[in-house]
Each structure stands twice: as structure tokens, then as C-alpha cells.
């Protein structure tokens, strides 16, 4: 095929043009077959993001011979916390205490703590998941106290927009929230923001991880 390799190379070169520091590329492989992930792995990609638990578990089985770092990036449902805690290294969408506690309770003792980002609703959209900016500090305190989680930073999915200045202002808002938390003593090092349509602006505003699917694998059905 070669198209996944060229998609990866194109994304990496676009990241390199705007980044003045290392940025972790999470290849978002939801709805892609295991073979596509294997192809990206052969091309050097090690970090993959999935949004649907049962689909992800199937692919993990097929790909268990590879040393992949799996990130769960979708909304976390209460009845999926055990499967997520047992199979992923990172969770990007923690937005309530109950979900955080369940993930911590279910994280197996033989694995390192689960790396967590708190999802923030920076667009103020009613239906969006994510904690309101005013609730972030309290949730950060709660998550930090859980024994089997390690709070790494914040994540957001701003509303899709073609307007670069709006994109940047949403990302800047998340960066400032993280800086506030760091000022309060939370040792956060991660800003998970930026997707295929807006990752350059996310990087310009301080993203340390970008979650990119369609620009690598092509449009999802
Ligand atoms: C699907 C998804 C992505 C990737 O989206 P693309 O536009 O295909 O890059 C990133 N983050 C989350 C949370 C997603 O669900």
C-alpha cells in the first residue's frame, strides 16, 4: 500500500514545521483494521489511540506481538472502566470523580499507574463531555489522591472550526488552565490537544500530544 507510511510521514513533517520541542503523535486508529495499525507500526509508529473498547480489545489481541502503547481517547463509560484499566497505558477522557475512582480501583497491581488526562470542556457546549473549567482544580485534586492513577495533564476537543484564531484561543485556554494548576502545585506535563483539522494551531499553543487519525489513515467511513 504505502499510503499509511506516506500519511505518517506527511503528518510528522507538518508537526516538525511548527514544533520547537518534542511532540508525541498519537495515531488514532479507531475503525481501522489491525493490519493498518501493523503497517503504521512497521513504519515506526508506537503510540496508538482508540475510542471504542470492544473494537480496541479485538485489535490488541491481533497485535499482541507488537510493543504498542495504547491510549484510550473516547468517552469513558462506567461499565468499561475495568477493561480500560486493564488494557490501556493512558486515558485521555476523565471528566468525573466516579470514573476516576473506578479506573483506579480496577488498575491491576502488576501494572504501573494508569496515566490520566482530565478532559475539559473549553467550548462551553452543552452536550460535550469534559469538566467545566471552573471544576478542573477540584477534579485534579481528587484524581491526584487516587493510588493507581497518575495525573499527567489536560485534554480538550474544541468544537470544529475553520477559524484559526478561534482554534488558537481554545487551545490557549487549555494551556492557561494547565499553567494555573502547575502554579497550584500539580506537577502536570501534558497537554493533549489537536486533531487532523487543527493540530498545527494546537502545537503553536503548547500541545505536547496530538491525536491524529484521518490525516494518517484516511477518512473514516
Ligand atoms: C477520532 C478522534 C481523534 C482523531 O480525529 P481526526 O480528525 O481523524 O484526526 C482525536 N481525538 C479524539 C478524542 C477522537 O475521538
Amino acid at each position: 500500500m504505502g499510503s499509511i507510511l506516506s500519511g505518517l510521514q506527511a503528518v510528522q513533517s507538518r508537526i516538525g514545521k511548527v514544533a520547537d520541542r518534542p511532540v508525541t503523535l498519537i495515531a488514532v486508529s479507531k475503525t481501522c483494521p489491525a493490519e493498518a495499525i501493523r503497517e503504521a507500526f512497521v513504519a515506526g509508529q508506537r503510540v496508538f489511540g482508540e475510542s471504542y473498547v470492544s473494537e480496541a480489545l479485538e485489535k490488541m489481541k491481533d497485535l499482541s506481538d507488537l510493543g504498542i502503547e495504547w491510549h484510550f481517547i473516547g468517552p469513558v463509560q462506567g461499565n468499561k472502566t475495568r477493561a480500560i484499566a486493564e488494557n490501556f497505558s493512558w486515558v485521555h477522557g476523565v471528566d468525573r470523580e466516579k470514573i476516576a475512582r473506578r479506573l483506579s480501583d480496577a488498575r491491576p497491581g502488576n501494572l504501573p499507574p494508569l496515566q490520566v488526562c482530565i478532559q475539559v470542556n473549553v467550548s462551553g457546549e452543552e452536550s460535550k463531555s469534559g469538566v467545566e473549567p471552573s471544576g478542573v482544580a477540584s477534579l485534579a485534586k481528587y484524581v491526584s489522591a487516587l493510588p493507581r492513577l497518575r495525573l499527567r495533564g489536560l485534554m480538550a476537543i474544541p468544537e470544529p472550526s475553520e477559524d484559526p484564531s478561534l482554534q488558537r484561543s481554545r487551545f490557549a485556554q487549555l494551556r492557561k488552565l494547565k499553567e494555573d494548576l502547575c502554579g497550584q502545585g500539580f506537577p502536570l506535563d501534558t497537554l493533549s490537544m489537536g486533531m487532523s483539522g487543527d493540530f498545527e494551531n494546537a502545537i503553536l499553543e503548547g500541545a505536547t500530544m496530538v491525536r491524529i487519525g484521518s490525516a494518517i489513515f484516511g477518512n473514516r467511513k
Side-chain angles (χ1 to χ4, degrees), residues 19-92:
D20 56 6
R21 60 189 185 281
V23 172
T24 300
L25 169 59
I26 303 172
V28 176
S29 47
K30 63 185 180 201
T31 79
C32 296
E35 279 321 302
I37 298 174
R38 190 175 288 279
E39 198 177 324
F41 185 93
V42 169
Q45 180 65 28
R46 294 292 177 270
V47 181
F48 291 85
E50 290 281 339
S51 304
Y52 310 111
V53 175
S54 48
E55 179 201 327
L57 296 186
E58 282 295 311
K59 289 188 274 189
M60 286 174 180
K61 232 189 301 166
D62 287 350
L63 300 167
S64 60
D65 56 315
L66 308 181
I68 288 178
E69 180 177 288
W70 294 101
H71 290 229
F72 190 78
I73 62 170
V76 183
Q77 293 168 303
N79 61 350
K80 297 285 166 57
T81 46
R82 175 159 301 279
I84 292 170
E86 289 177 351
N87 291 285
F88 287 83
S89 298
W90 283 71
V91 177
H92 291 246

Side-chain angles (χ1 to χ4, degrees), residues 123-144:
S123 306
E125 290 169 274
E126 288 274 338
S127 60
K128 262 273 169 69
S129 42
V131 64
E132 295 305 312
S134 60
V136 176
S138 140
L139 184 56
K141 187 167 172 224
Y142 184 86
V143 171
S144 299

Side-chain angles (χ1 to χ4, degrees), residues 141-196:
K141 187 167 172 224
Y142 184 86
V143 171
S144 299
L146 291 169
R148 302 294 297 139
L149 301 188
R150 179 159 168 230
L151 181 61
R152 295 293 298 272
L154 303 180
M155 176 269 210
I157 313 172
E159 77 273 46
S161 164
E162 304 278 299
D163 174 1
S165 63
L166 181 64
Q167 291 178 3
R168 283 193 68 153
S169 75
R170 299 302 192 206
F171 294 135
Q173 193 191 344
L174 195 71
R175 171 171 47 75
K176 286 182 196 122
L177 281 170
K178 174 182 164 280
E179 285 164 3
D180 286 350
L181 291 171
C182 287
Q184 292 168 48
F186 294 99
L188 307 184
D189 61 8
T190 301
L191 271 177
S192 167
M193 58 189 197
M195 307 177 24
S196 293

